[in-house]
Amino acid sequence: MAILKFVSIILALLPVVLCDTPANCTFEDVVGQWEFRVSAGGEDNTLNCTKPGPVDHVIHIDLKFPDVAIDLTSGHKGFWTMVYNQGFEVVLNEKKYFAFSQYTDVKSICDQTRPGWSHNTVGTDWACYVGSKIHAEKSSPGKPTKDLSQQLFKTDFAFIEKINTAQNSWKAGVYPEYEKMTIEEMLRRRGGRASKLAMKPRPAPVTEEIRKVASNLPSSFDWRNVNGQNFVTPVRDQGACGSCYAFGSLGMIEARLRIATNNTKTTILSTQDIVSCSEYSQGCEGGFPYLIAGKYAEDFGLTEESCYPYHGQDSTCKKNSCKRIYATNYAYVGGFYGGCNEELMRIELVKNGPVSVSFEVYNDFESYSGGIYHHVALEDGVPGFDPFELTNHAVLVVGYGADPKTGEKFWTVKNSWGESWGEDGFFRIRRGTDECSIESIAVKSFPISP
């Protein structure tokens, strides 16, 4: 129990302030005994669970910290993980259960789920379910909605000068195209309202076994140049849509597909299919890589960009008959939400390919033009109007290294803000210090080669 209390402190997530985002719930809110009320099965993945049908059967599950699920009737053990702070997934008795946590306009209801999806592990027998915690404690409170400004973004030249004066690790620059966007559109580029997390877990402790494995890795590595081959697909531009979670997720699948086929498959996957069709995310308002590179890719499959071209806006899903590409064995690096660290990320990166990560975006990051980024907190604060607060931006880690002159360690990361941003669309960020929480919740997934 002491461990749980300690972890609940470091993983505690503050209430959301925007009514259209899912709930913000902690490990401590979710662990315990649950009742899942499941509808009749026999459906496929087109099943609409907005209004679940009559209850067919009830199961009782005990969720133990950090990742053990127990069927209270049979005693069978399985696996569970928090899905960020938005909900949780359970794998038990050859079945998978996923649902977002319940919420209202002003509070999180972490002892209940919204209607969710259940299916067997091979994805052929679908049902709906609703979960509620047995003997639940008081739900996490929330805060009133805060409207975002619709005013146009204005470049703060004094702020950029102060960043460059305060340090010499990286350079801030001016991007005139930002001034064509509203504050809300800039917020979407940072990750979108539905991706906002007030706090993330800290990296997990490193075991001696993992440290030994990591010590045998190369001192630098980059999937853009492995024996002269580039396994990373081109940088794209998400525009004013909060679809970074789709670009970061699909970029990982694209790269790992290239790696698995030695660059004979150079597929570009459709991010618009995710924005318009995925019930596991919130379109241009944001989403999370675990649910896209993992769950959506396994449950529904991904289609190619040529089949469903990106237009960067919310729209009604267009059904199509294009071939789907699937992925499987998705997980957080480290096994569960809160199990990640730098060494595990490097091992996964070198062994299997790029990993999708999320990190906290501060307003100085948008001005990055080169170097090894770290957040610059100016003593006199941020001048001017900054309504953004922290947002959760998803990107793709493709390599790592260290500056030959200073020894400063870095991750090499693919962004989705176009090739004219940063270092040809990429950026470097401090490694080994969990800069902006970039080492806290990496995701891995494995494409099934078509």
Side-chain angles (χ1 to χ4, degrees), residues 352-372:
N352 295 314
V355 293
S356 182
V357 299
S358 300
F359 71 107
E360 295 173 350
V361 173
Y362 296 84
N363 63 333
D364 61 343
F365 178 74
E366 284 155 349
S367 300
Y368 170 89
S369 63
I372 301 174

Side-chain angles (χ1 to χ4, degrees), residues 3 47 83 88 103 105-106 113-114 118 139 167-168 171 178 212 233 243 246 251 268 272 317 319 329 349 407 418 437:
I3 294 176
L47 177 64
V83 178
F88 57 94
Y103 61 94
D105 284 358
V106 295
T113 73
R114 298 177 72 80
S118 166
S139 302
Q167 49 80 47
N168 58 11
K171 293 289 291 183
Y178 287 171
K212 183 178 179 180
T233 50
S243 53
I268 302 297
Q272 191 63 47
C317 179
K319 300 299 181 182
N329 294 331
L349 176 74
S437 299

Side-chain angles (χ1 to χ4, degrees), residues 90-97 118-126 295 298-299 328-330:
V90 177
V91 184
L92 184 64
N93 295 332
E94 304 295 324
K95 293 277 190 179
K96 290 190 175 186
Y97 303 86
S118 166
H119 60 77
N120 58 9
T121 52
V122 295
T124 58
D125 183 4
W126 285 64
K295 192 162 183 61
E298 182 176 90
D299 289 350
T328 190
N329 294 331
Y330 60 92

